[in-house]
Amino acid sequence: QVQLVESGGGSVQAGGSLRLSCAASPSTTTFGCMGWFRQAPGKERERVACIRGRTGTTFYVDSVKGRFTISQDNAKNTVYLQMNSLKPEDTAMYYCAATFGNACWSDNYIYWGQGTQVTVSS
């Protein structure tokens, strides 16, 4: 049974950092791609960062490039999103997602976690 469980959200002041974790079962190597998405109140869901498991290739939305880093630790079956220099506009519910295919920079993700809230105050 596939399960994705996020953790690491919280409240932080602008300029601060958070690291989100996504524990994947049965394992991260089950999937071709894993990604992080976010959704702020009243806004559409946005693709934030994705990683192609076999190659480690990463993809980012322009607004987080240079500030966020996605990584995958197959020994721990966990995907991380390191978020630095956080801005109030990063405030959203963040979701981990996974898919079997290799088209990582897409919305075709099959499995989703329950989400973890990130709030950035100015």
Side-chain angles (χ1 to χ4, degrees):
Q1 183 178 356
V2 174
Q3 191 172 20
L4 303 175
V5 180
E6 302 99 333
S7 61
S11 297
V12 65
Q13 289 191 328
S17 298
L18 285 172
R19 188 177 78 160
L20 306 183
S21 299
C22 173
S25 59
S27 72
T28 48
T29 57
T30 302
F31 309 106
C33 299
M34 296 195 69
W36 287 95
F37 293 72
R38 67 186 179 187
Q39 188 166 21
K43 294 187 177 181
E44 293 187 355
R45 186 179 65 196
E46 178 183 41
R47 194 184 318 128
V48 177
C50 304
I51 185 166
R52 184 173 293 140
R54 290 187 183 88
T55 63
T57 305
T58 57
F59 307 85
Y60 299 93
V61 67
D62 285 346
S63 60
V64 308
K65 285 180 179 177
R67 300 189 298 123
F68 290 12
T69 303
I70 188 172
S71 61
Q72 182 168 317
D73 185 337
N74 292 334
K76 296 182 178 180
N77 292 315
T78 301
V79 173
Y80 302 98
L81 185 68
Q82 177 67 45
M83 305 186 295
N84 298 328
S85 302
L86 282 162
K87 303 176 180 180
E89 51 263 43
D90 295 319
T91 295
M93 184 71 79
Y94 282 71
Y95 297 91
C96 176
T99 187
F100 297 119
N102 289 318
C104 297
W105 197 242
S106 73
D107 292 329
N108 296 325
Y109 281 73
I110 301 172
Y111 301 102
W112 295 83
Q114 82 287 351
T116 185
Q117 178 68 36
V118 171
T119 302
V120 184
S121 59
S122 57

